[in-house]
Amino acid sequence: MKIGRNQLCPCGSGLKYKKCCLNKLKEDNKLLDVDDIKYMEEHNFIDPFTYHDNYIHTKKVKATKINKKLLNIYDNKKHLNIKNIIDDYLEVMDYILDYANKNDIHTIEKIDDANLISDFMINVIGDFEEEILNLKTEEYDLNATNKYIDKLVNTLNLDDNTYENSLRCKTHSLFKLGNYELGEQIILDLIKENRNSIYAYVELVDDYEMIGNLEKSKYYYDLGMKRTDLEDLDALEERKVYFKVGR
């Protein structure tokens, strides 16, 4: 079983692995030692690996030039401007997705097995989406990142959580671009698919609050709060601060 840092932790905490047991294996912000590595291998958290500047990497790499770009982001992120980071992420992901299309690959697991890069695909997807979510419209063409997300979801059969997060990322960008109707429809389609997640409602509540439309935000808040069949309802309930008078 491979556990990437952006997947749910196998301990059952509900947190991402990178925010749970992965960090518990580090002491005083030091790199993992030999005992830590042995522990992780014995518990099947990852395949045999090397540890590099707080990132876990598999050993065999075929796409060396692309992998170099990825590691440059990891190692030198503080010194790179955001445009360079997004450009390099897009080049990495375009290469991987083109490879998948050419070789009739449809799953993240098969991409990992191809050993194109020295990190799990789920990690790259999650880390890249975090960068996209933080982008300002003046920093990058969000239409380009949305095209990437379309390519991702149309190329690979993503698990429900990754699929939802990708479409939420696209929706957030659409709201920043002023394309509210399309962003809203993407989330409404997710809700119709009944993916058992409260976070579709959270997305609409947050995005409409972001653009100052508290009426719409409150509408989806109320709608979501009625879904007592969904887990993590408190993630939506805490958004009630948006609607406090005089906030």
Side-chain angles (χ1 to χ4, degrees), residues 2-6 46 54-61 67 70-71 74 89 96 108 111-113 115-125 127:
K2 296 179 180 180
I3 301 297
R5 61 180 172 277
N6 284 298
I46 53 178
N54 296 322
Y55 288 91
I56 295 171
H57 303 300
T58 52
K59 289 182 178 178
K60 297 179 181 178
V61 176
N67 190 61
L70 180 64
L71 295 187
Y74 289 171
Y89 262 127
I96 293 172
I108 288 177
I111 288 292
D112 287 338
D113 290 343
N115 293 314
L116 298 176
I117 56 174
S118 59
D119 200 358
F120 296 140
M121 183 69 166
I122 192 72
N123 289 338
V124 183
I125 293 172
D127 291 347

PDB file of all heavy atoms in Angstrom, residues 2-6 46 54-61 67 70-71 74 89 96 108 111-113 115-125 127:
ATOM      1  N   LYS A   2       0.666   2.121  -0.963  1.00  0.00           N
ATOM      2  CA  LYS A   2       1.410   3.371  -1.015  1.00  0.00           C
ATOM      3  C   LYS A   2       0.588   4.470  -0.363  1.00  0.00           C
ATOM      4  O   LYS A   2      -0.589   4.642  -0.659  1.00  0.00           O
ATOM      5  CB  LYS A   2       1.706   3.757  -2.463  1.00  0.00           C
ATOM      6  CG  LYS A   2       2.611   2.780  -3.193  1.00  0.00           C
ATOM      7  CD  LYS A   2       2.826   3.243  -4.616  1.00  0.00           C
ATOM      8  CE  LYS A   2       3.732   2.293  -5.371  1.00  0.00           C
ATOM      9  NZ  LYS A   2       3.961   2.734  -6.757  1.00  0.00           N
ATOM     10  N   ILE A   3       1.210   5.224   0.519  1.00  0.00           N
ATOM     11  CA  ILE A   3       0.529   6.350   1.158  1.00  0.00           C
ATOM     12  C   ILE A   3       1.282   7.623   0.811  1.00  0.00           C
ATOM     13  O   ILE A   3       2.403   7.845   1.258  1.00  0.00           O
ATOM     14  CB  ILE A   3       0.468   6.188   2.687  1.00  0.00           C
ATOM     15  CG1 ILE A   3      -0.259   4.905   3.048  1.00  0.00           C
ATOM     16  CG2 ILE A   3      -0.233   7.392   3.312  1.00  0.00           C
ATOM     17  CD1 ILE A   3      -1.698   4.852   2.611  1.00  0.00           C
ATOM     18  N   GLY A   4       0.693   8.449  -0.023  1.00  0.00           N
ATOM     19  CA  GLY A   4       1.281   9.746  -0.349  1.00  0.00           C
ATOM     20  C   GLY A   4       0.940  10.761   0.729  1.00  0.00           C
ATOM     21  O   GLY A   4      -0.025  10.595   1.471  1.00  0.00           O
ATOM     22  N   ARG A   5       1.704  11.819   0.811  1.00  0.00           N
ATOM     23  CA  ARG A   5       1.501  12.773   1.902  1.00  0.00           C
ATOM     24  C   ARG A   5       0.183  13.530   1.807  1.00  0.00           C
ATOM     25  O   ARG A   5      -0.283  14.101   2.788  1.00  0.00           O
ATOM     26  CB  ARG A   5       2.677  13.750   1.982  1.00  0.00           C
ATOM     27  CG  ARG A   5       2.888  14.603   0.756  1.00  0.00           C
ATOM     28  CD  ARG A   5       4.074  15.554   0.932  1.00  0.00           C
ATOM     29  NE  ARG A   5       4.373  16.231  -0.306  1.00  0.00           N
ATOM     30  CZ  ARG A   5       5.106  15.732  -1.284  1.00  0.00           C
ATOM     31  NH1 ARG A   5       5.621  14.532  -1.150  1.00  0.00           N
ATOM     32  NH2 ARG A   5       5.323  16.413  -2.390  1.00  0.00           N
ATOM     33  N   ASN A   6      -0.448  13.546   0.609  1.00  0.00           N
ATOM     34  CA  ASN A   6      -1.728  14.237   0.456  1.00  0.00           C
ATOM     35  C   ASN A   6      -2.920  13.295   0.563  1.00  0.00           C
ATOM     36  O   ASN A   6      -4.060  13.718   0.380  1.00  0.00           O
ATOM     37  CB  ASN A   6      -1.763  14.984  -0.876  1.00  0.00           C
ATOM     38  CG  ASN A   6      -0.932  16.252  -0.842  1.00  0.00           C
ATOM     39  OD1 ASN A   6      -1.220  17.153  -0.064  1.00  0.00           O
ATOM     40  ND2 ASN A   6       0.113  16.313  -1.641  1.00  0.00           N
ATOM     41  N   ILE A  46       4.951   3.259   2.652  1.00  0.00           N
ATOM     42  CA  ILE A  46       5.476   3.577   1.330  1.00  0.00           C
ATOM     43  C   ILE A  46       6.350   2.434   0.846  1.00  0.00           C
ATOM     44  O   ILE A  46       6.722   1.556   1.601  1.00  0.00           O
ATOM     45  CB  ILE A  46       6.320   4.867   1.346  1.00  0.00           C
ATOM     46  CG1 ILE A  46       7.396   4.744   2.424  1.00  0.00           C
ATOM     47  CG2 ILE A  46       5.468   6.080   1.571  1.00  0.00           C
ATOM     48  CD1 ILE A  46       8.312   5.933   2.493  1.00  0.00           C
ATOM     49  N   ASN A  54      12.792  16.811   3.440  1.00  0.00           N
ATOM     50  CA  ASN A  54      11.402  16.748   3.911  1.00  0.00           C
ATOM     51  C   ASN A  54      10.411  16.230   2.877  1.00  0.00           C
ATOM     52  O   ASN A  54       9.203  16.406   3.017  1.00  0.00           O
ATOM     53  CB  ASN A  54      10.934  18.114   4.414  1.00  0.00           C
ATOM     54  CG  ASN A  54      11.719  18.558   5.625  1.00  0.00           C
ATOM     55  OD1 ASN A  54      12.057  17.753   6.487  1.00  0.00           O
ATOM     56  ND2 ASN A  54      12.041  19.839   5.699  1.00  0.00           N
ATOM     57  N   TYR A  55      10.887  15.598   1.823  1.00  0.00           N
ATOM     58  CA  TYR A  55      10.000  14.972   0.856  1.00  0.00           C
ATOM     59  C   TYR A  55      10.407  13.517   0.653  1.00  0.00           C
ATOM     60  O   TYR A  55      11.588  13.196   0.612  1.00  0.00           O
ATOM     61  CB  TYR A  55      10.021  15.705  -0.493  1.00  0.00           C
ATOM     62  CG  TYR A  55       9.319  17.026  -0.427  1.00  0.00           C
ATOM     63  CD1 TYR A  55      10.030  18.183  -0.120  1.00  0.00           C
ATOM     64  CD2 TYR A  55       7.944  17.125  -0.604  1.00  0.00           C
ATOM     65  CE1 TYR A  55       9.384  19.403  -0.014  1.00  0.00           C
ATOM     66  CE2 TYR A  55       7.294  18.330  -0.505  1.00  0.00           C
ATOM     67  CZ  TYR A  55       8.011  19.471  -0.216  1.00  0.00           C
ATOM     68  OH  TYR A  55       7.384  20.672  -0.102  1.00  0.00           O
ATOM     69  N   ILE A  56       9.435  12.649   0.509  1.00  0.00           N
ATOM     70  CA  ILE A  56       9.689  11.230   0.292  1.00  0.00           C
ATOM     71  C   ILE A  56       9.716  10.972  -1.211  1.00  0.00           C
ATOM     72  O   ILE A  56       8.846  11.427  -1.945  1.00  0.00           O
ATOM     73  CB  ILE A  56       8.593  10.385   0.962  1.00  0.00           C
ATOM     74  CG1 ILE A  56       8.665  10.569   2.465  1.00  0.00           C
ATOM     75  CG2 ILE A  56       8.718   8.928   0.577  1.00  0.00           C
ATOM     76  CD1 ILE A  56       7.501   9.967   3.197  1.00  0.00           C
ATOM     77  N   HIS A  57      10.723  10.240  -1.670  1.00  0.00           N
ATOM     78  CA  HIS A  57      10.840   9.967  -3.092  1.00  0.00           C
ATOM     79  C   HIS A  57      11.095   8.486  -3.343  1.00  0.00           C
ATOM     80  O   HIS A  57      11.879   7.867  -2.650  1.00  0.00           O
ATOM     81  CB  HIS A  57      11.995  10.768  -3.707  1.00  0.00           C
ATOM     82  CG  HIS A  57      11.863  12.238  -3.508  1.00  0.00           C
ATOM     83  ND1 HIS A  57      10.803  12.949  -3.982  1.00  0.00           N
ATOM     84  CD2 HIS A  57      12.653  13.130  -2.875  1.00  0.00           C
ATOM     85  CE1 HIS A  57      10.941  14.216  -3.656  1.00  0.00           C
ATOM     86  NE2 HIS A  57      12.056  14.355  -2.971  1.00  0.00           N
ATOM     87  N   THR A  58      10.427   7.952  -4.348  1.00  0.00           N
ATOM     88  CA  THR A  58      10.752   6.594  -4.769  1.00  0.00           C
ATOM     89  C   THR A  58      12.091   6.623  -5.493  1.00  0.00           C
ATOM     90  O   THR A  58      12.544   7.668  -5.924  1.00  0.00           O
ATOM     91  CB  THR A  58       9.649   6.050  -5.688  1.00  0.00           C
ATOM     92  OG1 THR A  58       9.428   6.989  -6.741  1.00  0.00           O
ATOM     93  CG2 THR A  58       8.362   5.841  -4.932  1.00  0.00           C
ATOM     94  N   LYS A  59      12.727   5.482  -5.658  1.00  0.00           N
ATOM     95  CA  LYS A  59      14.115   5.454  -6.118  1.00  0.00           C
ATOM     96  C   LYS A  59      14.292   5.584  -7.628  1.00  0.00           C
ATOM     97  O   LYS A  59      15.152   6.306  -8.095  1.00  0.00           O
ATOM     98  CB  LYS A  59      14.786   4.170  -5.629  1.00  0.00           C
ATOM     99  CG  LYS A  59      15.051   4.160  -4.137  1.00  0.00           C
ATOM    100  CD  LYS A  59      15.762   2.873  -3.731  1.00  0.00           C
ATOM    101  CE  LYS A  59      16.080   2.893  -2.242  1.00  0.00           C
ATOM    102  NZ  LYS A  59      16.723   1.637  -1.802  1.00  0.00           N
ATOM    103  N   LYS A  60      13.515   4.834  -8.400  1.00  0.00           N
ATOM    104  CA  LYS A  60      13.739   4.789  -9.834  1.00  0.00           C
ATOM    105  C   LYS A  60      13.012   5.928 -10.539  1.00  0.00           C
ATOM    106  O   LYS A  60      11.837   6.144 -10.339  1.00  0.00           O
ATOM    107  CB  LYS A  60      13.259   3.452 -10.386  1.00  0.00           C
ATOM    108  CG  LYS A  60      14.017   2.253  -9.838  1.00  0.00           C
ATOM    109  CD  LYS A  60      13.473   0.965 -10.424  1.00  0.00           C
ATOM    110  CE  LYS A  60      14.200  -0.249  -9.855  1.00  0.00           C
ATOM    111  NZ  LYS A  60      13.652  -1.514 -10.385  1.00  0.00           N
ATOM    112  N   VAL A  61      13.717   6.639 -11.381  1.00  0.00           N
ATOM    113  CA  VAL A  61      13.129   7.767 -12.099  1.00  0.00           C
ATOM    114  C   VAL A  61      13.473   7.649 -13.580  1.00  0.00           C
ATOM    115  O   VAL A  61      14.639   7.503 -13.941  1.00  0.00           O
ATOM    116  CB  VAL A  61      13.651   9.110 -11.557  1.00  0.00           C
ATOM    117  CG1 VAL A  61      13.102  10.262 -12.381  1.00  0.00           C
ATOM    118  CG2 VAL A  61      13.270   9.279 -10.104  1.00  0.00           C
ATOM    119  N   ASN A  67      11.661  15.364 -13.788  1.00  0.00           N
ATOM    120  CA  ASN A  67      11.833  15.184 -12.350  1.00  0.00           C
ATOM    121  C   ASN A  67      12.712  16.282 -11.754  1.00  0.00           C
ATOM    122  O   ASN A  67      12.500  16.734 -10.632  1.00  0.00           O
ATOM    123  CB  ASN A  67      12.438  13.818 -12.060  1.00  0.00           C
ATOM    124  CG  ASN A  67      12.415  13.476 -10.587  1.00  0.00           C
ATOM    125  OD1 ASN A  67      11.353  13.395  -9.990  1.00  0.00           O
ATOM    126  ND2 ASN A  67      13.582  13.288 -10.001  1.00  0.00           N
ATOM    127  N   LEU A  70      10.623  19.187 -11.022  1.00  0.00           N
ATOM    128  CA  LEU A  70       9.809  18.966  -9.833  1.00  0.00           C
ATOM    129  C   LEU A  70      10.633  19.164  -8.566  1.00  0.00           C
ATOM    130  O   LEU A  70      10.212  19.846  -7.629  1.00  0.00           O
ATOM    131  CB  LEU A  70       9.214  17.557  -9.862  1.00  0.00           C
ATOM    132  CG  LEU A  70       8.330  17.177  -8.678  1.00  0.00           C
ATOM    133  CD1 LEU A  70       7.084  18.055  -8.633  1.00  0.00           C
ATOM    134  CD2 LEU A  70       7.941  15.711  -8.755  1.00  0.00           C
ATOM    135  N   LEU A  71      11.820  18.574  -8.521  1.00  0.00           N
ATOM    136  CA  LEU A  71      12.669  18.703  -7.343  1.00  0.00           C
ATOM    137  C   LEU A  71      13.143  20.134  -7.148  1.00  0.00           C
ATOM    138  O   LEU A  71      13.364  20.577  -6.013  1.00  0.00           O
ATOM    139  CB  LEU A  71      13.863  17.754  -7.441  1.00  0.00           C
ATOM    140  CG  LEU A  71      13.548  16.263  -7.432  1.00  0.00           C
ATOM    141  CD1 LEU A  71      14.831  15.445  -7.363  1.00  0.00           C
ATOM    142  CD2 LEU A  71      12.629  15.890  -6.289  1.00  0.00           C
ATOM    143  N   TYR A  74      10.479  21.775  -5.187  1.00  0.00           N
ATOM    144  CA  TYR A  74      10.539  21.338  -3.804  1.00  0.00           C
ATOM    145  C   TYR A  74      11.695  21.987  -3.041  1.00  0.00           C
ATOM    146  O   TYR A  74      11.535  22.440  -1.911  1.00  0.00           O
ATOM    147  CB  TYR A  74      10.703  19.815  -3.733  1.00  0.00           C
ATOM    148  CG  TYR A  74       9.493  19.010  -4.145  1.00  0.00           C
ATOM    149  CD1 TYR A  74       9.590  17.638  -4.298  1.00  0.00           C
ATOM    150  CD2 TYR A  74       8.267  19.605  -4.384  1.00  0.00           C
ATOM    151  CE1 TYR A  74       8.483  16.879  -4.668  1.00  0.00           C
ATOM    152  CE2 TYR A  74       7.166  18.860  -4.748  1.00  0.00           C
ATOM    153  CZ  TYR A  74       7.278  17.495  -4.894  1.00  0.00           C
ATOM    154  OH  TYR A  74       6.186  16.746  -5.252  1.00  0.00           O
ATOM    155  N   TYR A  89       5.235  23.375 -12.742  1.00  0.00           N
ATOM    156  CA  TYR A  89       4.225  22.371 -12.393  1.00  0.00           C
ATOM    157  C   TYR A  89       3.427  21.952 -13.628  1.00  0.00           C
ATOM    158  O   TYR A  89       3.159  20.764 -13.842  1.00  0.00           O
ATOM    159  CB  TYR A  89       3.272  22.912 -11.334  1.00  0.00           C
ATOM    160  CG  TYR A  89       3.587  22.486  -9.918  1.00  0.00           C
ATOM    161  CD1 TYR A  89       3.726  23.438  -8.908  1.00  0.00           C
ATOM    162  CD2 TYR A  89       3.731  21.145  -9.577  1.00  0.00           C
ATOM    163  CE1 TYR A  89       4.006  23.053  -7.598  1.00  0.00           C
ATOM    164  CE2 TYR A  89       4.005  20.753  -8.275  1.00  0.00           C
ATOM    165  CZ  TYR A  89       4.145  21.714  -7.289  1.00  0.00           C
ATOM    166  OH  TYR A  89       4.419  21.323  -5.993  1.00  0.00           O
ATOM    167  N   ILE A  96       3.370  14.128 -17.724  1.00  0.00           N
ATOM    168  CA  ILE A  96       2.829  12.912 -17.114  1.00  0.00           C
ATOM    169  C   ILE A  96       1.489  12.529 -17.744  1.00  0.00           C
ATOM    170  O   ILE A  96       1.246  11.359 -18.068  1.00  0.00           O
ATOM    171  CB  ILE A  96       2.674  13.099 -15.599  1.00  0.00           C
ATOM    172  CG1 ILE A  96       4.056  13.239 -14.943  1.00  0.00           C
ATOM    173  CG2 ILE A  96       1.908  11.938 -14.972  1.00  0.00           C
ATOM    174  CD1 ILE A  96       4.016  13.623 -13.479  1.00  0.00           C
ATOM    175  N   ILE A 108      -3.838   6.634 -11.063  1.00  0.00           N
ATOM    176  CA  ILE A 108      -2.681   7.188 -10.382  1.00  0.00           C
ATOM    177  C   ILE A 108      -1.689   6.087 -10.027  1.00  0.00           C
ATOM    178  O   ILE A 108      -0.465   6.266 -10.120  1.00  0.00           O
ATOM    179  CB  ILE A 108      -3.122   7.950  -9.117  1.00  0.00           C
ATOM    180  CG1 ILE A 108      -3.823   9.259  -9.518  1.00  0.00           C
ATOM    181  CG2 ILE A 108      -1.946   8.235  -8.196  1.00  0.00           C
ATOM    182  CD1 ILE A 108      -4.366  10.044  -8.346  1.00  0.00           C
ATOM    183  N   ILE A 111       0.496   5.273 -12.912  1.00  0.00           N
ATOM    184  CA  ILE A 111       1.482   6.335 -13.117  1.00  0.00           C
ATOM    185  C   ILE A 111       2.647   6.147 -12.152  1.00  0.00           C
ATOM    186  O   ILE A 111       3.821   6.256 -12.530  1.00  0.00           O
ATOM    187  CB  ILE A 111       0.845   7.725 -12.918  1.00  0.00           C
ATOM    188  CG1 ILE A 111      -0.097   8.061 -14.074  1.00  0.00           C
ATOM    189  CG2 ILE A 111       1.917   8.807 -12.790  1.00  0.00           C
ATOM    190  CD1 ILE A 111       0.597   8.284 -15.397  1.00  0.00           C
ATOM    191  N   ASP A 112       2.334   5.866 -10.892  1.00  0.00           N
ATOM    192  CA  ASP A 112       3.399   5.623  -9.910  1.00  0.00           C
ATOM    193  C   ASP A 112       4.267   4.436 -10.326  1.00  0.00           C
ATOM    194  O   ASP A 112       5.496   4.468 -10.198  1.00  0.00           O
ATOM    195  CB  ASP A 112       2.804   5.377  -8.526  1.00  0.00           C
ATOM    196  CG  ASP A 112       2.246   6.636  -7.883  1.00  0.00           C
ATOM    197  OD1 ASP A 112       2.667   7.738  -8.289  1.00  0.00           O
ATOM    198  OD2 ASP A 112       1.400   6.529  -6.985  1.00  0.00           O
ATOM    199  N   ASP A 113       3.623   3.384 -10.817  1.00  0.00           N
ATOM    200  CA  ASP A 113       4.363   2.189 -11.232  1.00  0.00           C
ATOM    201  C   ASP A 113       5.303   2.471 -12.398  1.00  0.00           C
ATOM    202  O   ASP A 113       6.313   1.782 -12.570  1.00  0.00           O
ATOM    203  CB  ASP A 113       3.392   1.076 -11.619  1.00  0.00           C
ATOM    204  CG  ASP A 113       2.647   0.496 -10.431  1.00  0.00           C
ATOM    205  OD1 ASP A 113       3.110   0.715  -9.292  1.00  0.00           O
ATOM    206  OD2 ASP A 113       1.596  -0.146 -10.633  1.00  0.00           O
ATOM    207  N   ASN A 115       7.166   5.010 -12.643  1.00  0.00           N
ATOM    208  CA  ASN A 115       8.379   5.628 -12.086  1.00  0.00           C
ATOM    209  C   ASN A 115       8.902   6.785 -12.938  1.00  0.00           C
ATOM    210  O   ASN A 115      10.104   6.912 -13.185  1.00  0.00           O
ATOM    211  CB  ASN A 115       9.483   4.585 -11.911  1.00  0.00           C
ATOM    212  CG  ASN A 115       9.152   3.559 -10.851  1.00  0.00           C
ATOM    213  OD1 ASN A 115       8.705   3.901  -9.764  1.00  0.00           O
ATOM    214  ND2 ASN A 115       9.337   2.289 -11.170  1.00  0.00           N
ATOM    215  N   LEU A 116       7.990   7.634 -13.375  1.00  0.00           N
ATOM    216  CA  LEU A 116       8.400   8.787 -14.178  1.00  0.00           C
ATOM    217  C   LEU A 116       9.108   9.829 -13.328  1.00  0.00           C
ATOM    218  O   LEU A 116      10.061  10.475 -13.778  1.00  0.00           O
ATOM    219  CB  LEU A 116       7.175   9.413 -14.850  1.00  0.00           C
ATOM    220  CG  LEU A 116       6.407   8.537 -15.823  1.00  0.00           C
ATOM    221  CD1 LEU A 116       5.174   9.271 -16.326  1.00  0.00           C
ATOM    222  CD2 LEU A 116       7.290   8.119 -16.981  1.00  0.00           C
ATOM    223  N   ILE A 117       8.611  10.022 -12.095  1.00  0.00           N
ATOM    224  CA  ILE A 117       9.146  11.052 -11.205  1.00  0.00           C
ATOM    225  C   ILE A 117       9.413  10.449  -9.839  1.00  0.00           C
ATOM    226  O   ILE A 117       8.974   9.337  -9.537  1.00  0.00           O
ATOM    227  CB  ILE A 117       8.164  12.238 -11.065  1.00  0.00           C
ATOM    228  CG1 ILE A 117       6.792  11.733 -10.586  1.00  0.00           C
ATOM    229  CG2 ILE A 117       8.046  12.995 -12.378  1.00  0.00           C
ATOM    230  CD1 ILE A 117       5.800  12.819 -10.285  1.00  0.00           C
ATOM    231  N   SER A 118      10.118  11.188  -9.014  1.00  0.00           N
ATOM    232  CA  SER A 118      10.520  10.650  -7.713  1.00  0.00           C
ATOM    233  C   SER A 118       9.593  11.090  -6.591  1.00  0.00           C
ATOM    234  O   SER A 118      10.033  11.409  -5.489  1.00  0.00           O
ATOM    235  CB  SER A 118      11.954  11.077  -7.397  1.00  0.00           C
ATOM    236  OG  SER A 118      12.058  12.484  -7.385  1.00  0.00           O
ATOM    237  N   ASP A 119       8.312  11.107  -6.865  1.00  0.00           N
ATOM    238  CA  ASP A 119       7.312  11.373  -5.837  1.00  0.00           C
ATOM    239  C   ASP A 119       6.018  10.720  -6.276  1.00  0.00           C
ATOM    240  O   ASP A 119       5.827  10.423  -7.459  1.00  0.00           O
ATOM    241  CB  ASP A 119       7.116  12.874  -5.638  1.00  0.00           C
ATOM    242  CG  ASP A 119       6.481  13.225  -4.305  1.00  0.00           C
ATOM    243  OD1 ASP A 119       6.160  12.300  -3.541  1.00  0.00           O
ATOM    244  OD2 ASP A 119       6.310  14.428  -4.008  1.00  0.00           O
ATOM    245  N   PHE A 120       5.131  10.478  -5.334  1.00  0.00           N
ATOM    246  CA  PHE A 120       3.842   9.900  -5.682  1.00  0.00           C
ATOM    247  C   PHE A 120       2.986  10.924  -6.421  1.00  0.00           C
ATOM    248  O   PHE A 120       2.968  12.108  -6.080  1.00  0.00           O
ATOM    249  CB  PHE A 120       3.103   9.438  -4.428  1.00  0.00           C
ATOM    250  CG  PHE A 120       3.801   8.337  -3.685  1.00  0.00           C
ATOM    251  CD1 PHE A 120       3.840   8.332  -2.299  1.00  0.00           C
ATOM    252  CD2 PHE A 120       4.418   7.306  -4.362  1.00  0.00           C
ATOM    253  CE1 PHE A 120       4.472   7.321  -1.605  1.00  0.00           C
ATOM    254  CE2 PHE A 120       5.058   6.279  -3.686  1.00  0.00           C
ATOM    255  CZ  PHE A 120       5.088   6.293  -2.297  1.00  0.00           C
ATOM    256  N   MET A 121       2.265  10.461  -7.406  1.00  0.00           N
ATOM    257  CA  MET A 121       1.418  11.335  -8.210  1.00  0.00           C
ATOM    258  C   MET A 121       0.408  12.086  -7.346  1.00  0.00           C
ATOM    259  O   MET A 121       0.132  13.266  -7.570  1.00  0.00           O
ATOM    260  CB  MET A 121       0.698  10.504  -9.275  1.00  0.00           C
ATOM    261  CG  MET A 121      -0.156  11.306 -10.229  1.00  0.00           C
ATOM    262  SD  MET A 121       0.801  12.344 -11.321  1.00  0.00           S
ATOM    263  CE  MET A 121      -0.440  12.766 -12.538  1.00  0.00           C
ATOM    264  N   ILE A 122      -0.142  11.406  -6.355  1.00  0.00           N
ATOM    265  CA  ILE A 122      -1.144  12.043  -5.499  1.00  0.00           C
ATOM    266  C   ILE A 122      -0.563  13.254  -4.776  1.00  0.00           C
ATOM    267  O   ILE A 122      -1.248  14.241  -4.524  1.00  0.00           O
ATOM    268  CB  ILE A 122      -1.730  11.028  -4.477  1.00  0.00           C
ATOM    269  CG1 ILE A 122      -2.977  11.601  -3.800  1.00  0.00           C
ATOM    270  CG2 ILE A 122      -0.695  10.610  -3.459  1.00  0.00           C
ATOM    271  CD1 ILE A 122      -4.171  11.674  -4.688  1.00  0.00           C
ATOM    272  N   ASN A 123       0.737  13.191  -4.456  1.00  0.00           N
ATOM    273  CA  ASN A 123       1.398  14.311  -3.801  1.00  0.00           C
ATOM    274  C   ASN A 123       1.519  15.510  -4.731  1.00  0.00           C
ATOM    275  O   ASN A 123       1.270  16.655  -4.349  1.00  0.00           O
ATOM    276  CB  ASN A 123       2.786  13.905  -3.316  1.00  0.00           C
ATOM    277  CG  ASN A 123       2.750  12.962  -2.143  1.00  0.00           C
ATOM    278  OD1 ASN A 123       1.765  12.901  -1.418  1.00  0.00           O
ATOM    279  ND2 ASN A 123       3.813  12.200  -1.957  1.00  0.00           N
ATOM    280  N   VAL A 124       1.927  15.235  -5.969  1.00  0.00           N
ATOM    281  CA  VAL A 124       2.121  16.321  -6.931  1.00  0.00           C
ATOM    282  C   VAL A 124       0.789  17.000  -7.227  1.00  0.00           C
ATOM    283  O   VAL A 124       0.696  18.229  -7.281  1.00  0.00           O
ATOM    284  CB  VAL A 124       2.765  15.789  -8.233  1.00  0.00           C
ATOM    285  CG1 VAL A 124       3.037  16.942  -9.194  1.00  0.00           C
ATOM    286  CG2 VAL A 124       4.061  15.053  -7.921  1.00  0.00           C
ATOM    287  N   ILE A 125      -0.257  16.200  -7.406  1.00  0.00           N
ATOM    288  CA  ILE A 125      -1.589  16.770  -7.659  1.00  0.00           C
ATOM    289  C   ILE A 125      -2.012  17.669  -6.502  1.00  0.00           C
ATOM    290  O   ILE A 125      -2.441  18.812  -6.701  1.00  0.00           O
ATOM    291  CB  ILE A 125      -2.627  15.654  -7.864  1.00  0.00           C
ATOM    292  CG1 ILE A 125      -2.343  14.887  -9.163  1.00  0.00           C
ATOM    293  CG2 ILE A 125      -4.049  16.228  -7.892  1.00  0.00           C
ATOM    294  CD1 ILE A 125      -3.201  13.646  -9.342  1.00  0.00           C
ATOM    295  N   ASP A 127      -0.163  19.082  -4.045  1.00  0.00           N
ATOM    296  CA  ASP A 127       0.706  20.243  -3.847  1.00  0.00           C
ATOM    297  C   ASP A 127       0.452  21.308  -4.909  1.00  0.00           C
ATOM    298  O   ASP A 127       0.441  22.509  -4.614  1.00  0.00           O
ATOM    299  CB  ASP A 127       2.172  19.818  -3.885  1.00  0.00           C
ATOM    300  CG  ASP A 127       2.572  18.982  -2.677  1.00  0.00           C
ATOM    301  OD1 ASP A 127       1.787  18.934  -1.699  1.00  0.00           O
ATOM    302  OD2 ASP A 127       3.651  18.372  -2.716  1.00  0.00           O
TER     303      ASP A 127
END
